[in-house]
Amino acid sequence: PTMPKKKVKPGIVEADPSSLAILAHYVEVVTDDVGRVSSTNKTKQVKISSLDPGIDITVKAEQIIAECKYIPSSRLAQVEQAIMTLQARELSAPSKSSHRRGSSRRTKDEITNTAINKPPASMDRIEEYLELMYEEGEGKVEGTKSVLELASTVENLEVLIQNESLMQLLSRLLETEYKANIEMCYNIIRTFAAFSNFMEMHHILLTFKVGAHTMKVLAHETSRVALRERDLSQIMDEEKRIQTGAVDNGTDRESALKHFQSKKNKMLSKTAKLKKWSEKVMTACYCLLTNLAEDLSVERKMLKKGLLDSLVSHLGTTSSVKLLTAIVSFIWKLASMRENVTRLYELRVVTALSAFLPATATLKGQTFSADELTTAVIKLLVSLSFDKPMRDVMVKEGFVPRLVNILKEHPKHRSLALKLLYHLSVEDRTKVIFTFTDAIPIIMQMIINFPGDKLGRELAGLAVNLSWHPRVAESMCHFPKKNQGLSELVERMEAKKDPLLMKVIRNLSTWTYELQMNATPEALANGKYEQKGLWSRFVDPILRLLKQEQSERDEDLMVELIGTLNNLTVYDLPRTSKDPVPLWSTFIRKYDLVSFISKYLVPEMAQLDVVLEVVMFTGQLLGDSTAAPMIAASNIPKAMYELWVDKAPQDAELKVQILFTFFRMLSHQATREELMYGTRAATAILDHCDDAHPSIRVLSLRCLDIILECDRDDSGRLGQLGNQVCKKRFEAHNREWIDENQIGYGIPAHSNFLHEHPSPESQGSYDYEGKHDDDSNEWSADQKYRGHDEEKFSEYKGSW
């Protein structure tokens, strides 16, 4: 019996009403071994040791999320709200010691924390918050913080945004005082970001020029980042100068270095605090601008102010996971426009993103994976990978091994990683890189052990692309040991009947087919073909599956099944003691393939893709001389000609394959007689000997060669078809001369002159010894005629 499967669906996060803890609600879904599903509502209590007034709520919330597996990173805002509620409740509660003393005197700390000990924000006190924002100093911070607390509740947003006095005041403070108070600026932008989550409120925000003010704040913070980088560089230069002994005369180097270290520590501490607030402000700005950019006209205004350059520059200067996630998400949205992708290529954004694949974060000295940032980065790379220059940069930066490592160690990101690898595998020169990684074993294991009946599209697409490469195909066939990989794939195919998996198997058969085509006949005859017998065990399963699908009508699967059979040769067929020489005729009788082919050659019986594969399969079977009598005794030659008349004029590929099948039929006496004299195929072939398509022209001429050689009586004279072939070739080769002479003698071009004045080959015997020149597509002059009208013919034959 299988173990029950458990699945957790996260719910809301809220403050514990009775203790200093956070309650994480979730639903546990259990599926037993017979498929019954039951769900249970559960709650996990996360206790908090203390909540000091100066605690960083965001950092504390991230720590709680990292420690509790039932709280996903998407619930960060709810965790922050719960911490704020607990903090306000703890700080507003009277201490036990003050009750015991009964003192009415307020300490200095109580006076300082008066603002912190205030009750939760209320919509009834909105006027009070407005008055606080008109005050100087901490009043603006407290007023904007209360408004932000109100905006955290969705039900309050509509009332708040319709308060014109509030919106005007917030907009003015953001425009004029964003440099003076960074905490106030952060609260206002967070409030506007809450409004921007709803498209219906965008026009109101734009009325108060929120987007323009936010861009100004962002530009100011960007300049602060550059200033901090410059100051840090100066500190490093000064430290290096002191350590090398380059100090003023009379100054001890050790004391100078000690004084410098004290100065450096103070400056770094101050810079770290400012950097932290700056990153929080920029995160809020980018979230707000991302929402406002839903309007295309607003997005274009942002781009004109150099938004893309600012985004990419911040990728290399910040270490905040939240800020990086906001930046990458914004770039992903902008990358939907072609001109933006071009600019991102110029800014080398792919190189900047390589540092976050996969992304990690550090909290209190411990490093952990930043899943949200990694997801955003791969999502952006997938969007950029539709552009070929971007794909080239990704390959150059070594993304393939990194993504393969993500497949192995980060199951959360497998779907996106597979999608990106699929895009990268489109390039032929990239496929070989996969063979130098663990990609092939991982992909084979994922295919063989895939839980669903049908492979995921990303996984199947990647496998299809890679299986075109010879080295990859060989690795897949022999994973983990010789011939086992192909056996595992075919067994899964028999059980699941997945068309995409069958496409992978077909590509593997293409690899073995090309190996045989590139090998010399001596190598094949002497057994030097190493893959001989690889497919022998799978011919019967594939044919059985084909007969089953004939009744189930899964045409996508049928195309791949027949296509795989088309790639098999006599070196792939099984050998037995009864049949030491493998022949297709054995399988024709066993699976009644003649009836199968006849059925699908009937017009409108199947899709054209299936018909095309059936035509190719017929040509493959005719490679076996023992199969020709079976096909000749059926209606296949006639049906093939009717298919030519009905479908071939509109489809060049189908025309080529039917011509090749005609060529194979003409190569065997049994099918040759049926095709030449039982149908008008010879006349149809004759009409295409001067076709513009090179493959059609060459195949037509090869077929005509056979007709010309075989359509003779016992005395060697040409028959009616042979004479038609000679006449057609004469007209085709001398068309220009015939047209000129007919016009010159007053005879209309393309008239019945040749019918009224027949050429000698229709009157006397004809000995054809012509050869075809593949380079010039013309017939050589090595052609001899003999008959009673040699002199008369010289008047018309022209130059050969």
Side-chain angles (χ1 to χ4, degrees), residues 110-162:
E110 288 174 337
I111 297 173
T112 304
N113 295 329
T114 300
I116 299 177
N117 294 332
K118 64 182 180 61
S122 170
M123 290 295 294
D124 298 331
R125 303 174 59 190
I126 191 68
E127 296 298 330
E128 180 181 337
Y129 305 145
L130 287 173
E131 292 178 4
L132 284 174
M133 284 187 280
Y134 280 108
E135 296 179 1
E136 296 296 331
E138 293 298 320
K140 290 183 172 60
V141 176
E142 296 305 323
T144 53
K145 185 181 292 186
S146 299
V147 174
L148 173 59
E149 186 178 346
L150 293 174
S152 300
T153 304
V154 178
E155 290 79 4
N156 298 335
L157 291 178
E158 186 174 0
V159 179
L160 290 174
I161 201 169
Q162 290 177 355

Side-chain angles (χ1 to χ4, degrees), residues 85-98:
T85 303
L86 290 173
Q87 188 182 55
R89 188 177 67 196
E90 286 296 309
L91 295 174
S92 61
S95 63
K96 296 180 181 179
S97 58
S98 61

Side-chain angles (χ1 to χ4, degrees), residues 214-271:
T214 306
M215 289 294 293
K216 287 172 60 178
V217 174
L218 198 55
H220 176 65
E221 295 302 328
T222 303
S223 64
R224 277 186 173 180
V225 171
L227 184 61
R228 284 198 301 268
E229 293 292 326
R230 188 191 67 185
D231 292 343
L232 185 60
S233 177
Q234 291 177 354
I235 291 175
M236 295 304 175
D237 292 341
E238 186 177 354
E239 184 177 16
K240 185 177 180 181
R241 182 179 62 84
I242 295 175
Q243 288 177 346
T244 55
V247 297
D248 297 336
N249 293 331
T251 304
D252 183 19
R253 187 176 67 174
E254 293 184 3
S255 61
L257 185 60
K258 184 177 180 181
H259 176 72
F260 171 76
Q261 287 292 345
S262 176
K263 176 183 175 183
K264 175 184 174 182
N265 292 337
K266 290 180 181 179
M267 185 173 182
L268 290 179
S269 177
K270 181 180 178 182
T271 302

Side-chain angles (χ1 to χ4, degrees), residues 40-106:
T40 308
N41 295 324
K42 294 188 175 182
T43 303
K44 173 68 175 178
Q45 185 185 54
V46 183
K47 294 184 178 180
I48 301 175
S49 57
S50 63
L51 287 175
D52 298 329
I55 193 173
D56 190 317
I57 294 178
T58 302
V59 173
K60 186 67 175 177
E62 291 174 350
Q63 183 181 2
I64 292 173
I65 291 174
E67 293 174 354
C68 182
K69 64 180 181 180
Y70 299 107
I71 305 178
S73 57
S74 58
R75 300 291 195 274
L76 179 62
Q78 294 184 14
V79 177
E80 290 179 349
Q81 181 64 34
I83 293 174
M84 291 171 61
T85 303
L86 290 173
Q87 188 182 55
R89 188 177 67 196
E90 286 296 309
L91 295 174
S92 61
S95 63
K96 296 180 181 179
S97 58
S98 61
H99 280 295
R100 284 196 303 267
R101 291 192 300 265
S103 173
S104 60
R105 296 180 59 185
R106 302 177 67 191

Side-chain angles (χ1 to χ4, degrees), residues 682 685-686 689 700-708 725 729:
I685 296 171
L686 197 61
C689 66
S700 299
L701 293 174
R702 289 182 179 178
C703 292
L704 294 178
D705 287 344
I706 299 176
I707 294 174
L708 197 61
V725 171
R729 285 182 168 176

